[in-house]
Structure formats: structure tokens, C-alpha cells
Amino acid sequence: MNKERLLQRFLQYVTCASETYQEREFCIMMEEELTSLGLHWERQEIGEMFGSNGWNLHAILPGTGAPLLLCAHMDTVAPGYGISPILRDGVIYSDGTTILGSDDKAGIAAAMEAVQTIVEKGLPHRPIEFLLTICEENGILGSKYADYSKIISKEAIVLDNEDVGHLVNQAAAYMKIHFSIQGKSAHAGVSPEKGIHALKAVAECISGIECGRVSEISVVNVANLLCPGQTNIVPEKADFDVEVRSYEEEELQSIVQNICGHVEKVCQAWGAKFCKTENRVSNAFCIPVTAPIIEKTCEAMRSIGITPVIEQTLGGSDITWLVENGLAAINIGVGMQEVHGCKEHILFEDMISTTEVLLRVLTT
């Protein structure tokens, strides 16, 4: 591997803005890189389905043996424009006014460096597939709507976890619910008693929903309360969102039913009406620790002095839809820290280690 090239590649990636729904420029950059390495690639034009100007990229480098899919997402959270990376004492930061974008461009950089090293040195390797996705940060949409008929691999490594050496083999079921509460408007000064206060009804709904870690295996959160209007009008409509995550489907469904029952009861007491929209973001899964992809990856980690840690997560990532579509997939750490904020950073040595692990898995 060329460490300086790895560093420059990463810096180039993060300075090319690709906030969710605005990935086009970075998609084009990746097409140019894939072409330069001799990989055959295709666009999966799915962005228009959910308002993105980008597309998934599927690429393959022929080899010998069982193929392996490498997956990472090209989009970032905001603020992701004008990123100015700073290398200080072996750690890469943003300038503090934006995110860094190591989530997930550190994963892409490590994968591309590993493949370039293989191509340049003519190393024997297994067939290598890439699935680079869009809109992961807002609903895991790129991998959800990917064209899996083109995927030849039965195993996959997702490069979208934090600590190097940590390997996710189990993730939670994840559901979002949008509630819309309909009250009745009235003049707040002249005839407030004729109104049905949608905002106060929603406030009571939210106050009765337990949030945070509601059990050892489940979490709940409430967000996006919206009730625009004027102060002299009794609010007639208010909306909010709830998300529920659980490692067990039965518990997830129980929590969702309890929340919906609570909202219905509150609305009845206020004389309001409500409607809800449920969105299944992902299903729960567990890849056995004896799966070959786990054993091979752990062996590669140990070979460079990293002790593997197999773990579960309540977070979402592309791995969910890979598993849903029949791949034995794991999500490995690449070193990103304090992601989704302006303090995001990554130890460059961790990017080097990630690249080394990939080289060993791909060439073994």
C-alpha cells in the first residue's frame, strides 16, 4: 500500500461535498477512479425515486475464487460543504465548522487503496465487487433499492463502523412512525373554546412516550415536532415522528402498538383525530460468529495485531439490506470517531490498518 496516496485520496474525497441527496459530483469522481483502475462499473439510477441527484455504483474486478462485495456509502450528513481537513499529530480533523466526512469516505478510501495496491502489484486475489451507495444517512435508501440481481457475491464487508477491530454481525429492526394530529382552528382571543388544540394534544402524546433505552434490547426516540401557525389561532394540525429500534421483532411490535394506542387515547380525550404512516427502515438480523466471512476477517485482523471484537448494534447501515437480500455481511470499523458532528475525526493509522485488513481478506 502507498500510505501517502491513501492520505491524499481521503483528503480529496472529503473535500468533494456529497451531502445526502446531493451526491452527484462525488459519484462522478468515483466513476473516474474505478475506470482508472480498470474496473467495469455500472450506474444504478435510483436517485430520482427519493429526490437524490446521485446514483449507486456497482463495480467488479475479476479474480479467482469466491467473490467478495465491499460496500460503503457516498453520502454524508450536513454540514458537509466547504470541508477543510487538517492533519495534526496523526489525526485528521475538519476545521470545526463542518463535519469531516470520514463517515463513510474513510471506508471508501481504504477499499480503493487496497484494490489499487492489488492491481499495481499484480497480487492474486478473489473477485472483488463494489457497491457504493447513496442516501444511506437518511433511511438507508441506496442499499434498500439497489439492484441485487447484478450482485454475484455471497459475502460482503461493509466499511461503516467506528472502532478498528470492531465487527458488527447483528443489528436491530428499525421502524419510523409519522403522526399527524388534526384538531380544530378557532380565534385564540375571541372564541378559543371552539377550537381543538392540536399542539397541546401532541404535547400530551409526546410526554407519555418513554424515550431512550426503554429495555436492554430496545430504544425509542421522538423528533420533528411541527406546528406552524399564528399565535392568535388555536392550532388545528401538528405532526411528529417516532422511531423504534429493537433486536427482537416481537418487542418492536409491542412498543409500536403501545405508542399508537397511547396516541389514540390522547386524541380521543381531546376530541382530535389522527393518522399515522409507518415506515419499516430495516429488519433485525444476525450472522453466526462461525460464518466464514467472520472467521476470515478476524484472522486478518489478528495477523496485524488487532484483537477482533464481535458486537451488535442498534444503529442502521447498508449491511441490513445486504443481509435481507441473501448476503452474509459484516460491518467493520474504519476508525471514524464522533461522527455526525463538527468534532468528527479519524486517526490516520486506523485507515492504514483497515486497508491492511482488506488486503489480507482479498488476497487470501
Side-chain angles (χ1 to χ4, degrees):
M1 132 184 33
N2 184 321
K3 295 179 182 179
E4 180 60 25
R5 184 177 61 199
L6 172 62
L7 175 61
Q8 294 306 317
R9 170 175 269 133
F10 175 69
L11 298 179
Q12 180 186 23
Y13 286 178
V14 299
T15 52
C16 180
S18 58
E19 288 184 4
T20 305
Y21 304 121
Q22 301 295 323
E23 304 98 341
R24 179 182 177 83
E25 184 178 348
F26 190 68
C27 290
I28 293 172
M29 176 183 287
M30 294 312 302
E31 288 176 345
E32 293 172 350
E33 279 218 44
L34 291 167
T35 299
S36 71
L37 293 178
L39 276 72
H40 172 74
W41 55 266
E42 293 182 349
R43 292 183 180 182
Q44 296 187 353
E45 301 268 14
I46 60 172
E48 291 185 1
M49 296 173 60
F50 34 80
S52 169
N53 66 5
W55 49 84
N56 284 354
L57 284 170
H58 174 239
I60 187 163
L61 180 67
T64 304
L68 178 67
L69 178 73
L70 303 180
C71 180
H73 64 87
M74 296 183 284
D75 64 312
T76 73
V77 298
Y81 283 91
I83 293 174
S84 181
I86 298 169
L87 177 61
R88 185 170 64 247
D89 298 327
V91 181
I92 308 169
Y93 306 85
S94 74
D95 65 3
T97 64
T98 67
I99 61 160
L100 175 61
S102 59
D103 179 8
D104 191 21
K105 291 175 180 177
I108 300 176
M112 293 297 288
E113 179 60 33
V115 169
Q116 185 162 359
T117 300
I118 288 169
V119 170
E120 286 184 345
K121 294 186 176 182
L123 300 176
H125 62 89
R126 60 200 299 180
I128 303 168
E129 277 190 286
F130 278 98
L131 180 62
L132 303 178
T133 63
I134 57 173
C135 295
E136 189 273 349
E137 295 289 8
N138 193 14
I140 325 177
L141 299 174
S143 56
K144 181 176 183 178
Y145 294 104
D147 184 357
Y148 289 93
S149 69
K150 302 293 181 68
I151 303 295
I152 63 172
S153 299
K154 300 300 182 184
E155 297 179 323
I157 293 178
V158 178
L159 297 142
D160 191 20
N161 199 12
E162 295 188 354
D163 296 334
V164 168
H166 287 232
L167 182 158
V168 171
N169 73 319
Q170 181 179 1
Y174 178 13
M175 182 177 288
K176 291 183 178 180
I177 316 163
H178 177 77
F179 288 99
S180 183
I181 311 301
Q182 186 69 46
K184 182 181 178 182
S185 64
H187 195 292
V190 177
S191 54
E193 65 280 353
K194 294 181 180 180
I196 298 175
H197 207 297
L199 180 56
K200 292 200 69 174
V202 164
E204 187 172 330
C205 288
I206 292 174
S207 67
I209 298 174
E210 183 182 2
C211 292
R213 199 171 300 278
V214 298
S215 77
E216 291 184 356
I217 62 171
S218 303
V219 294
V220 176
N221 192 43
V222 176
N224 302 327
L225 172 60
L226 182 64
C227 185
Q230 299 175 211
T231 57
N232 63 348
I233 301 175
V234 174
E236 68 173 342
K237 185 175 183 294
D239 298 78
F240 68 101
D241 294 322
V242 179
E243 72 164 38
V244 182
R245 307 181 192 222
S246 180
Y247 291 120
E248 292 186 3
E249 180 66 26
E250 184 176 351
E251 181 158 317
L252 178 108
Q253 293 297 335
S254 176
I255 293 171
V256 169
Q257 289 175 11
N258 289 339
I259 290 172
C260 292
H262 165 68
V263 170
E264 181 178 16
K265 183 177 179 180
V266 170
C267 288
Q268 287 176 347
W270 279 89
K273 298 178 181 179
F274 82 98
C275 61
K276 62 182 174 69
T277 303
E278 296 183 0
N279 173 28
R280 167 68 70 150
V281 179
S282 60
N283 297 323
F285 72 86
C286 181
I287 301 298
V289 295
T290 55
I293 185 61
I294 293 181
E295 293 182 342
K296 292 174 186 175
T297 305
C298 288
E299 180 182 352
M301 291 176 175
R302 293 188 190 99
S303 72
I304 61 170
I306 295 174
T307 301
V309 177
I310 300 173
E311 61 187 10
Q312 59 187 12
T313 180
L314 286 160
S317 76
D318 287 327
I319 186 176
T320 297
W321 290 108
L322 299 184
V323 174
E324 187 76 12
N325 284 276
L327 282 82
I330 56 175
N331 187 3
I332 68 171
V334 299
M336 59 179 87
Q337 299 294 324
E338 296 192 67
V339 298
H340 294 192
C342 295
K343 294 183 179 180
E344 180 186 357
H345 60 276
I346 187 167
L347 181 67
F348 181 55
E349 191 64 36
D350 283 346
M351 292 178 60
I352 294 171
S353 296
T354 302
T355 307
E356 291 284 7
V357 168
L358 290 177
L359 282 168
R360 282 160 172 75
V361 173
L362 296 171
T363 59
T364 300

